Amino acid sequence: MDFSFSDDEQRFDAEVVEYLAQERQHPDADVVFAAHHESHSQLASKPQHKAFMRRLAQRGWLGMSWPREYGGDAHEGLYEYLLNERLSQAGAPLVGKGIGIIGKTIIRHGSDDLRARFLHRIRTAEIDFALGYSEPDAGSDLASLKLRAKRVDGGWELNGQKRFSTSAHFADWYWVAARTNPDAPKHKGITLFLVDLSDPGLTVLEQKTMSDDRTNEVFFDAVFVPDENVVGEVDKGWTYVCEALDYERYTIYTVGALESKMNRIISWAKSTRRSGRPVVDEPEIRSGIAELATDLEVARMLTLRIIDKAARGEVPSNEASMCKLTLTRLHQKMANWMLDHCGPVGVLASGEPGAADEGRWEHSYRATVIETIGGGSSEIQKNILSRRALGLPTL
Ligand SMILES: Cc1cc2nc3c(=O)[nH]c(=O)nc-3n(C[C@H](O)[C@H](O)[C@H](O)COP(=O)(O)OP(=O)(O)OC[C@H]3O[C@@H](n4cnc5c(N)ncnc54)[C@H](O)[C@@H]3O)c2cc1C
């Protein structure tokens, strides 16, 4: 098995590294490159992030893997992977939902009209999206969702509630799964809609997470969605949602963020002194770092397997679950390990005097719990693997 990159891919990677070094001189760099943020939750929420994404678009780096007829370069997914890895290493927003999830689903299943209205604006970073799947009684068991879409003249009327709709407070469009046929078996009566987030029937309320980030509850009161904003076929939404969740699991979770954490851990161990000697002199510290480095290599290999499969045009479903499980656990393991080994100053938050590594790990400790829940929790990934990959019975 050969996971090495071609000359062209290596040239592209070097170009991205050089470009990001230039971007670090930009007046917006302090906002765009957020060293203290868990990079995969670094959203394009501020004008500076959006401007950065537009500059990436101008270089032709958004939608590289899309077919040429939709404005892409028909490049293998490897180029997007290389770009996202470098972005996450740098703590910048990733090429996210629009390109990786929504765009790809519209290309595969959307009408010509949806393609014409959305794909260009996604590729030029003009519009942002929020994903509206989860509800108070539908998280892991997503097919139980109840948000009701009733047939009306020329379209659908949506009533009900979503929760954990990250980005809904600043995005332009809402990718919503709703129940169109309550009499069908629960996986069959679901349809995907594109909802304009400026619709007056929507109320978006803040939900604060334990890592201080914002997600949202969203209430629908007679929200009208025209027929032309239905994605794919009515009542077939579950298939598209599952496919999009597979894209999500391998577009959002990167090894780059883990690599930059690893570098931080090593420089903390080299630069911190305890009882008159460098921390790195302690055998326990060196042993722990070696173990984390081994885990990191496993994560890298799993990621490359996914990219290899995706490059061959397949949806890497089982691999995506393994990768999500491994990467998010390793984020958590690194944060736990640092809190254990920094001593009392490890639990001081950013801004508090004496906080270890400027409070990086205190925040990471809280944020990395969340990573094991969003996009399908660790338990659900294990269920998927035992059923799909191992053929074990379901309960
Ligand atoms: C910060 C954050 C951002 C999010 N952003 C979005 C978003 O943008 N859009 C969106 O639609 N959703 C989003 N989510 C929702 C996320 O996908 C759900 O939280 C997740 O699917 C779990 O659902 P739940 O919270 O309802 O927990 P539950 O499904 O109630 O699960 C509770 C616990 O039980 C376990 N569990 C559940 N079922 C099983 C089972 N069958 N076997 C074993 N264990 C099980 C779970 O692993 C979990 O530990 C976000 C969540 C968070 C925390």
Side-chain angles (χ1 to χ4, degrees):
M1 201 174 283
D2 179 12
F3 285 143
S4 56
F5 296 111
S6 69
D7 289 348
D8 202 43
E9 286 151 8
Q10 289 181 44
R11 256 194 307 277
F12 174 70
D13 186 50
E15 195 185 333
V16 174
V17 171
E18 195 187 319
Y19 175 74
L20 290 178
Q22 285 166 25
E23 275 282 345
R24 285 194 178 281
Q25 309 306 316
H26 195 279
D28 294 345
D30 282 353
V31 179
V32 171
F33 301 101
H36 263 76
H37 218 285
E38 291 298 314
S39 69
H40 91 251
S41 56
Q42 161 79 310
L43 302 166
S45 55
K46 299 196 175 125
Q48 293 93 329
H49 298 139
K50 290 187 182 170
F52 172 75
M53 294 315 280
R54 284 190 193 123
R55 291 196 291 278
L56 289 188
Q58 279 157 13
R59 290 191 73 99
W61 287 353
L62 299 190
M64 285 179 289
S65 64
W66 289 10
R68 289 217 167 78
E69 57 190 304
Y70 304 122
D73 288 327
H75 269 319
E76 286 181 348
L78 270 169
Y79 289 82
E80 256 154 26
Y81 160 77
L82 290 168
L83 176 62
N84 256 352
E85 288 293 349
R86 292 298 180 187
L87 292 173
S88 74
Q89 259 174 11
L94 305 188
V95 174
K97 302 185 262 248
I99 294 288
I101 300 169
I102 289 142
K104 283 186 181 163
T105 309
I106 291 179
I107 287 172
R108 282 173 73 96
H109 305 290
S111 62
D112 287 342
D113 172 61
L114 277 186
R115 290 177 186 148
R117 282 192 291 132
F118 283 93
L119 294 180
H120 176 73
R121 289 189 295 160
I122 294 174
R123 211 171 34 76
T124 50
E126 273 174 59
I127 48 174
D128 277 313
F129 293 85
L131 301 180
Y133 299 143
S134 305
E135 298 178 6
D137 294 318
S140 301
D141 182 16
L142 188 56
S144 294
L145 64 88
K146 292 197 188 87
L147 183 91
R148 183 76 172 96
K150 257 174 49 187
R151 192 87 187 96
V152 292
D153 196 20
W156 299 82
E157 187 187 278
L158 274 54
N159 285 287
Q161 181 189 350
K162 292 282 172 191
R163 70 171 179 179
F164 298 129
S165 290
T166 307
S167 313
H169 57 295
F170 65 83
D172 311 282
W173 286 90
Y174 199 13
W175 181 254
V176 173
R179 185 152 305 279
T180 32
N181 185 351
D183 301 323
K186 68 178 184 177
H187 293 90
K188 298 225 162 116
I190 294 170
T191 301
L192 260 184
F193 295 93
L194 273 159
V195 179
D196 184 342
L197 268 163
S198 65
D199 191 293
L202 291 171
T203 306
V204 179
L205 300 179
E206 177 172 6
Q207 270 187 293
K208 200 99 178 154
T209 70
M210 64 191 282
S211 69
D212 307 324
D213 292 315
R214 176 178 176 164
T215 181
N216 304 284
E217 275 187 292
V218 182
F219 296 86
F220 293 65
D221 182 10
V223 173
F224 174 74
V225 185
D227 279 326
E228 52 270 26
N229 285 5
V230 170
V231 181
E233 285 181 56
V234 171
D235 289 347
K236 296 270 173 67
W238 181 250
T239 319
Y240 314 139
V241 169
C242 291
E243 195 178 295
L245 278 170
D246 281 333
Y247 289 135
E248 179 176 347
R249 276 173 209 135
Y250 76 91
T251 351
I252 295 185
Y253 302 96
T254 60
V255 177
L258 287 164
E259 281 168 344
S260 60
K261 284 183 181 178
M262 192 72 217
N263 292 337
R264 263 189 107 103
I265 291 174
I266 292 171
S267 65
W268 164 83
K270 285 182 175 167
S271 63
T272 307
R273 294 181 74 82
R274 209 156 36 202
S275 308
R277 58 189 187 131
V279 166
V280 78
D281 281 358
E282 298 169 25
E284 154 71 12
I285 295 288
R286 292 197 303 272
S287 146
I289 290 179
E291 186 175 324
L292 291 174
T294 308
D295 291 343
L296 177 59
E297 198 51 29
V298 171
R300 192 195 323 280
M301 286 299 141
L302 270 176
T303 309
L304 288 172
R305 280 191 63 186
I306 287 187
I307 301 310
D308 179 57
K309 201 161 177 185
R312 285 186 272 116
E314 298 167 38
V315 179
S317 153
N318 295 332
E319 293 82 354
S321 289
M322 283 185 189
C323 201
K324 203 244 164 192
L325 191 60
T326 306
L327 265 64
T328 55
R329 275 179 167 178
L330 185 51
H331 276 289
Q332 219 175 359
K333 186 169 172 180
M334 285 182 175
N336 291 357
W337 190 87
M338 280 300 280
L339 248 64
D340 284 347
H341 291 88
C342 284
V345 287
V347 293
L348 296 178
S350 169
E352 292 186 42
D357 203 4
E358 298 167 21
R360 173 74 164 88
W361 302 100
E362 184 278 335
H363 179 256
S364 186
Y365 182 77
R366 290 181 281 130
T368 52
V369 176
I370 293 171
E371 292 168 1
T372 66
I373 300 169
S377 70
S378 296
E379 289 73 26
I380 295 308
Q381 303 312 318
K382 286 185 266 185
N383 280 351
I384 292 173
L385 286 167
S386 61
R387 196 179 62 243
R388 284 197 208 160
L390 305 170
L392 299 175
T394 49
L395 293 178

